[in-house]
Amino acid sequence: MFKKIPGTKDILPEEASWWQKIEDISRKIFSIYNYTEIRPPLIEEAGLFNRSLGKSTEIIRKQMFLIKKKNDVYALRPEGTASIVRAYIENNLQKKSPFIKLYYLGPMFRLERPQMGRQRQFHHLGCEAIGAHDPCLDVEVISLVDRLLKAYAIEGYKIKINSLGCIKDRKELTQLLNKGLRDKRGSLCTDCRLRFKNNILRVLDCKNKSCRDIIEKLDIQDGHLCGECKTHFIQVKKGLDSLKVDYQAAPYLVRGLDYYTSTVFEVTHQDLGAQDALGAGGRYDSLVSDLGGPDVGAIGFAFGMERLLLVSRCQSIKAPKENLVYVVSLGEEAKRQNLKLLNELRQAGIISDTDYEARSLKGALRRANDLGARYVLITGEDEIKKGVVTLKDMVSGEQREVKSDDIVEDLKRA
Ligand code: AMP
């Protein structure tokens, strides 16, 4: 027997309905904020991610699903931003409108060690607003994060924000850390000793206690930010205050990817355990031009769908019972007639189904009940002779005969 590969999941029908709920809520709210959907391919040239995310990042070093074909190397996308920026440039989207707001949903792939909250195929739900540096846009995007989380009926989340500054400021911060940590390298955890070499900014948000102590002693606040970036960040915080978005300034918050600049943010939830990030995002003001596009600012975020579902209360909000009509045929002639009836019901937009397992009347009614059917239509020899069907109301238990020719209209009215 074949089994699914580690780190992947079957989303079974019952669970899929909760996914649809989160997706429906998201689509509605994204459209209220005037975002439209984009669906880039799941595979891209591997070089796109190497260039965008940065060669020394964990994703590029260890987690890419690569497909080699002669001289080409493709990658299953590990995240959405790089593909969307590629699509923005390649399709000349800036020609129609230099400023564009896009959202996306779909699977992402990272070759991680599978564990609770970490899969090899997981799903992102996110957005990108490309074409502006305005701090009010950062405020809109972070308040959209807040709005979505409330709509998913998630409580107890924390929004943490920070500013990495522009590319120059980031370099300054990198140098600061290099200097501050050089002679303390031996006391850092194994991961951070590697980070010191490959991606020193990530030392800042290490959760290890001894690393935290060392970092806190360096007392890094916003000294590395230039005047413009400082003002930008102040405006973002003021805007969030004015919208009463609850956030925490987190001076040690950094993101794992090279393209982030200026405002960065992360949403955490304590019920998630060790992998406590529900989602994250930030500005990437140099990425569009780095990939060959115009020099425009941009900001986006992505939530992990699986993690949203773990903490959303929407699973306990019962979906209203659909008005399913269950059609029962007693005998071959009834079956033939009901084939047509089912077609007419569905043409009229009435959700309907029937029994294909030759159940008895009692068995078919039990099945209708299990499916949560609102009405059952029964056709047997008697009904055929009289040109009627028996309509059973599964809520009141009442039953009556309705002329076959009238049943679709009758149910439409009901
Ligand atoms: P990132 O692009 O790493 O910032 O991811 C954004 C969000 O996606 C995270 O906050 C998680 O909720 C989710 N996520 C990232 N990697 C995984 C994974 N391997 N399995 C499940 N969810 C993930």
Side-chain angles (χ1 to χ4, degrees):
M1 194 177 62
F2 290 111
K3 297 209 163 166
K4 60 186 178 307
I5 60 172
T8 65
K9 250 189 97 193
D10 296 312
I11 301 163
L12 298 174
E14 198 181 327
E15 214 187 324
S17 67
W18 303 121
W19 281 70
Q20 285 164 6
K21 204 160 187 179
I22 294 271
E23 288 163 7
D24 290 348
I25 294 170
S26 311
R27 288 182 194 286
K28 193 166 153 225
I29 292 179
F30 278 130
S31 67
I32 292 175
Y33 282 70
N34 202 26
Y35 283 77
T36 46
E37 189 178 1
I38 182 164
R39 300 186 191 199
L42 305 196
I43 50 174
E44 297 272 2
E45 258 181 63
L48 170 68
F49 300 113
N50 296 342
R51 177 73 188 268
S52 315
L53 277 54
K55 286 212 175 73
S56 57
T57 56
E58 218 148 281
I59 296 183
I60 299 297
R61 285 193 302 118
K62 298 195 257 176
Q63 300 173 346
M64 294 275 274
F65 271 95
L66 297 173
I67 304 157
K68 294 191 176 107
K69 190 103 176 111
K70 287 193 181 149
N71 295 328
D72 297 320
V73 187
Y74 305 125
L76 294 185
R77 62 179 188 187
E79 57 105 61
T81 307
S83 300
I84 291 170
V85 171
R86 196 254 324 123
Y88 173 83
I89 300 167
E90 186 175 349
N91 297 290
N92 252 325
L93 297 187
Q94 84 274 10
K95 276 242 163 85
K96 258 192 237 148
S97 152
F99 178 66
I100 190 162
K101 290 159 118 177
L102 304 163
Y103 77 88
Y104 61 98
L105 311 160
M108 303 293 158
F109 305 86
R110 294 183 193 172
L111 203 48
E112 310 212 44
R113 193 167 53 79
Q115 52 182 295
M116 169 75 181
R118 265 198 193 286
Q119 292 171 214
R120 290 180 167 173
Q121 178 180 327
F122 60 99
H123 295 73
H124 267 171
L125 184 165
C127 72
E128 314 293 347
I130 306 176
H133 285 100
D134 191 334
C136 290
L137 179 61
D138 308 32
V139 176
E140 182 187 289
V141 168
I142 298 170
S143 64
L144 168 59
V145 164
D146 192 45
R147 171 84 186 264
L148 283 165
L149 291 164
K150 291 202 162 86
Y152 304 142
I154 296 178
E155 282 167 8
Y157 57 88
K158 282 194 184 122
I159 301 177
K160 298 173 191 165
I161 68 170
N162 191 21
S163 175
L164 298 174
C166 53
I167 296 283
K168 246 177 91 208
D169 298 347
R170 268 184 59 147
K171 274 198 191 126
E172 177 112 355
L173 180 59
T174 306
Q175 276 163 10
L176 215 83
L177 286 173
N178 241 312
K179 229 162 101 194
L181 293 175
R182 196 170 302 140
D183 56 354
K184 300 188 181 70
R185 253 180 297 176
S187 316
L188 295 172
C189 70
T190 333
D191 283 344
C192 280
R193 262 177 261 158
L194 267 178
R195 286 176 187 140
F196 182 90
K197 272 208 310 224
N198 298 322
N199 197 355
I200 197 164
L201 291 184
R202 287 314 303 258
V203 177
L204 279 179
D205 68 352
C206 178
K207 299 206 164 73
N208 190 300
K209 167 97 174 67
S210 58
C211 297
R212 289 246 53 81
D213 290 346
I214 295 171
I215 287 294
E216 269 155 37
K217 278 201 192 106
L218 296 181
D219 194 26
I220 287 165
Q221 296 295 326
D222 60 359
H224 60 289
L225 296 184
C226 63
E228 210 176 304
C229 289
K230 246 184 215 159
T231 312
H232 184 102
F233 194 42
I234 290 170
Q235 284 170 337
V236 173
K237 288 189 277 189
K238 275 193 179 154
L240 291 173
D241 291 338
S242 73
L243 298 186
K244 302 207 163 30
V245 174
D246 201 4
Y247 68 89
Q248 288 174 6
Y252 301 116
L253 176 68
V254 289
R255 306 285 316 124
L257 311 178
D258 278 4
Y259 59 61
Y260 283 111
T261 51
S262 184
T263 313
V264 288
F265 52 92
E266 184 175 73
V267 183
T268 55
H269 198 292
Q270 59 177 18
D271 294 355
L272 287 175
Q275 307 299 329
D276 67 350
L278 269 177
R283 278 204 161 267
Y284 46 94
D285 289 338
S286 307
L287 183 61
V288 183
S289 60
D290 274 359
L291 293 181
D295 186 9
V296 290
I299 180 166
F301 67 80
F303 285 127
M305 285 277 285
E306 286 78 1
R307 296 192 196 170
L308 288 178
L309 279 157
L310 280 175
V311 292
S312 167
R313 271 196 309 109
C314 86
Q315 300 188 36
S316 60
I317 304 167
K318 276 224 150 100
K321 270 210 168 151
E322 302 282 10
N323 285 330
L324 173 74
V325 174
Y326 196 70
V327 174
V328 178
S329 311
L330 305 172
E332 285 307 307
E333 180 51 28
K335 225 176 181 175
R336 261 190 299 280
Q337 284 196 14
N338 279 340
L339 205 59
K340 224 172 117 223
L341 174 60
L342 263 170
N343 194 44
E344 284 166 9
L345 288 168
R346 289 167 178 166
Q347 294 285 352
I350 297 169
I351 304 166
S352 41
D353 205 353
T354 192
D355 168 42
Y356 291 107
E357 293 162 281
R359 288 187 169 87
S360 64
L361 176 60
K362 208 168 139 200
L365 287 174
R366 205 178 302 128
R367 173 77 180 144
N369 197 44
D370 291 346
L371 288 172
R374 179 73 177 79
Y375 298 103
V376 175
L377 300 182
I378 305 159
T379 311
E381 276 179 27
D382 261 11
E383 282 88 356
I384 294 174
K385 269 189 217 141
K386 290 197 226 162
V388 297
V389 291
T390 297
L391 169 68
K392 186 175 169 70
D393 183 325
M394 295 295 277
V395 175
S396 65
E398 280 167 18
Q399 122 175 7
R400 64 189 164 95
E401 289 181 349
V402 181
K403 272 186 157 173
S404 301
D405 290 344
D406 296 342
I407 187 66
V408 175
E409 279 308 310
D410 203 307
L411 284 170
K412 259 163 83 180
R413 272 195 301 277

